[in-house]
Amino acid sequence: MKIKCRPEDFRVEELPTVAPRDRGRFVLYRLTKRGLGTPEAIEAIRRRWDLPPDAVRHGGLKDRHALTVQYLTIFQGPERSLHQEHLDLEPVGRVDQPYAPSGFRGNRFTIVLRDLSDAEAAAALKAAGEIPRDGIPNYFDDQRFGSVGPSGDLIGRAWIAGDHERALWLALAEPNDSDRPGDARRKALLRDLWGRWTEAKAALDRSHARSIITYLDDHPTDFRGAFARLRRDLRSIYFSAYQSHLWNLILGRFIEHLTRPDQRIPYAFRTAELPIPVGLDPDQADRLASTRLPLPASRTPLGSDEVSELARSVVSELGIAWEDLRVRHLKDVFLSKGDRAALFRPSGWDQSELVADDLYPGHKRLELAFELPRGAYATLIVKRLTDAASRPAVGIEGR
């Protein structure tokens, strides 16, 4: 089975709840992009229109390897279009408030699965029919952790642990699979010259990294101040990734408590191996579907119930007190409070008949369309289907 053979094979469209008008302080835009991540697209818009760092506000992060439609606002932005190789930006009206995650209710996905043998196609089709009924564990999927490099260490973890130099090094110097050539060169240079700030400043080209190193050249040990000068949107991503990792661990532990060993399949996510439940009994399925798990943050209150105790024990085993889960020394980023459903179910499920694959002669293709609530990952559905296709002879109720 293959996915994302073309950007058009993985389409995502944000479903906004805001209604644009003729008047308002913020211009609302529709952003269509291909082969480009949301942060990179926003940075390209900022550079083209010479906008300050926080001028552009968006709702969600959309997949790089896809054709995506989402919305954003710019304070008093230009009411004109912008067209570049990988993005198209169109004004659609004005609103009174900046766009935010609360501005959309979910996403509509259209996914094409290709290169299916007859056996794989039959297994994937059967699993596709079970997903709307069984649901999917609501893990944060790997695209949430794009900032994590080969060390596996999370920038937010280092900061909350008080290791500000480590957090800055991970952000500026650790290589990453998504690095563009210029970023990769700067990171390699900084790994060689870390701590030799005057040399590093002279060797770097004009960039955001160079502005941070310029600060360190004047304040050689103020890693906290240097980190605070990283772009706010990047710092927000770093802490969201860490909080999401902790929440995934809590969900994994909850599934372990809820199920028997034969009802779990281990799956290697980017930051941890986590269990996927299979073959649940009705009472287990009802419990998973009705449970919401706390987002790890000191601002999220815990009680003495089973779920709270489980969440507290997961972070305690990592050497962290729940009360210490807050972003110190930075006033413009924080860990979100609240909770998150342990399971999601897609709505508006629509699947095509199996047809001949136009890219892979002799094989089949399957197209799926569905809606997911905000924060749920369609790639988890793909993982369940690919797992089913890879082992068609056994329990295909997998991930």
Side-chain angles (χ1 to χ4, degrees), residues 172 186 190 200-216:
L172 290 183
R186 294 182 196 102
L190 286 173
K201 174 183 173 182
L204 286 169
D205 57 353
R206 184 178 179 183
S207 62
H208 183 57
R210 188 177 188 275
S211 68
I212 304 297
I213 299 307
T214 298
Y215 176 84
L216 284 171

Side-chain angles (χ1 to χ4, degrees), residues 127 130-139 141 247 251 255 269 276-277 288-289 340-346 349 370 372 376-385 397-399:
E130 295 168 345
I131 287 173
R133 179 197 68 200
D134 296 344
I136 298 288
N138 199 19
Y139 288 119
D141 207 1
W247 191 89
L251 175 55
I255 290 172
F269 286 77
I276 301 293
L288 187 61
R340 175 180 170 90
L343 184 92
F344 70 82
R345 287 191 173 97
W349 188 268
F370 50 88
L372 293 182
Y377 287 80
T379 45
L380 294 172
I381 290 178
V382 173
K383 285 175 177 174
R384 173 165 176 172
L385 294 172
E397 304 89 353
R399 37 192 181 276

Side-chain angles (χ1 to χ4, degrees), residues 148-154 174 270-271:
V148 180
S151 70
D153 200 359
L154 288 99
E174 184 172 40
R270 183 165 186 148
T271 60

Side-chain angles (χ1 to χ4, degrees), residues 116-292:
L116 294 163
S117 67
D118 289 342
E120 290 172 337
L125 196 62
K126 185 174 187 299
E130 295 168 345
I131 287 173
R133 179 197 68 200
D134 296 344
I136 298 288
N138 199 19
Y139 288 119
F140 293 94
D141 207 1
D142 290 348
Q143 55 267 51
R144 186 77 164 190
F145 308 107
S147 60
V148 180
S151 70
D153 200 359
L154 288 99
I155 298 168
R157 181 215 63 79
W159 182 271
I160 288 175
D163 192 345
H164 303 139
E165 180 177 5
R166 175 67 173 170
L168 185 67
W169 187 92
L170 290 169
L172 290 183
E174 184 172 40
N176 190 289
D177 292 341
S178 64
D179 286 338
R180 295 186 174 187
D183 293 328
R185 287 193 298 271
R186 294 182 196 102
K187 287 184 174 183
L189 188 150
L190 286 173
R191 288 194 297 275
D192 291 338
L193 297 178
W194 193 261
R196 293 147 58 189
W197 307 128
T198 301
E199 293 179 61
K201 174 183 173 182
L204 286 169
D205 57 353
R206 184 178 179 183
S207 62
H208 183 57
R210 188 177 188 275
S211 68
I212 304 297
I213 299 307
T214 298
Y215 176 84
L216 284 171
D217 192 29
D218 295 330
H219 309 83
T221 61
D222 186 10
F223 301 109
R224 195 169 83 187
F227 188 90
R229 284 162 172 77
L230 291 169
R231 285 179 12 220
R232 178 186 176 277
D233 61 324
L234 293 179
R235 289 184 283 114
S236 180
I237 288 171
Y238 301 153
F239 290 107
S240 292
Y242 182 52
Q243 184 179 48
S244 301
H245 167 67
L246 294 177
W247 191 89
N248 277 0
L249 296 180
I250 293 170
L251 175 55
R253 182 69 59 82
F254 180 70
I255 290 172
E256 289 173 353
H257 277 255
L258 187 67
T259 59
R260 302 183 299 271
D262 64 306
Q263 293 178 306
R264 301 191 293 268
I265 298 173
Y267 192 90
F269 286 77
R270 183 165 186 148
T271 60
E273 184 176 270
L274 300 166
I276 301 293
V278 299
L280 295 180
D281 302 331
D283 60 331
Q284 293 172 310
D286 290 345
R287 177 77 191 283
L288 187 61
S290 64
T291 297
R292 299 187 66 87

Side-chain angles (χ1 to χ4, degrees), residues 43-51 80 82-84:
E43 183 62 16
I45 295 165
R46 286 186 53 246
R47 288 197 305 265
R48 179 67 176 270
W49 283 347
D50 193 25
L51 300 170
R80 63 176 185 271
L82 173 60
H83 303 287
Q84 295 186 352

